[in-house]
Amino acid sequence: MILGIGLPFLLRPAAPGPVLALQQVAEQSLSADVGFESVAWGTRLNIDCDYPAGYEFGDANGPWSYALLVTDTKGSTMQVATWKAVPGKEITLQAATSLPVDQIAEVTVKTLAGLTVLQSPMDKNLLDQ
């Protein structure tokens, strides 16, 4: 009986948080939005990436791999996820950081070779939504 009462609370979807559209800083057609969800242990990041069909996301070694980094308000940067490009597809992935969302100052996507392709400062107005 206790399980039946508690189960609806376990299945309840999380409240949506703010979403930040990342800005292109390099010549690539990749686009990404990052959603932020405050949780007791920090912040869950929900990343939606779009790779247009017909665009080359790699070289002779295969598809490019990317990393998602967050920079805190003190200037420290940490990598929170990596993944490979999927041309012609939209992918969704999750990442996490121990930082509270209000301490995230910037979000960056880089190739694993170190090229910054997307970057946006955290819009503090998003946190008021």
Side-chain angles (χ1 to χ4, degrees):
M1 200 68 147
I2 294 172
L3 179 60
I5 293 170
L7 191 56
F9 295 104
L10 294 174
L11 298 177
R12 184 179 48 185
V19 176
L20 180 66
L22 301 182
Q23 303 302 309
Q24 287 189 336
V25 294
E27 179 89 21
Q28 289 201 9
S29 294
L30 162 70
S31 63
D33 294 329
V34 180
F36 302 88
E37 181 183 342
S38 291
V39 290
W41 44 261
T43 303
R44 180 177 293 125
L45 296 96
N46 300 299
I47 304 107
D48 291 319
C49 297
D50 187 25
Y51 305 93
Y55 188 83
E56 294 297 321
F57 288 93
D59 54 26
N61 297 318
W64 285 335
S65 293
Y66 294 95
L68 181 74
L69 301 100
V70 294
T71 302
D72 68 17
T73 55
K74 295 179 182 176
S76 295
T77 299
M78 68 179 78
Q79 180 177 301
V80 296
T82 62
W83 69 96
K84 285 189 179 178
V86 183
K89 301 285 183 185
E90 183 175 323
I91 64 164
T92 300
L93 60 129
Q94 287 189 333
T97 177
S98 60
L99 292 171
V101 70
D102 65 349
Q103 291 182 17
I104 297 173
E106 188 171 66
V107 179
T108 304
V109 173
K110 291 186 175 196
T111 65
L112 291 189
L115 173 67
T116 300
V117 293
L118 301 172
Q119 189 170 40
S120 287
M122 184 62 157
D123 182 349
K124 297 303 179 186
N125 293 324
L126 290 174
L127 302 179
D128 296 331
Q129 295 179 2

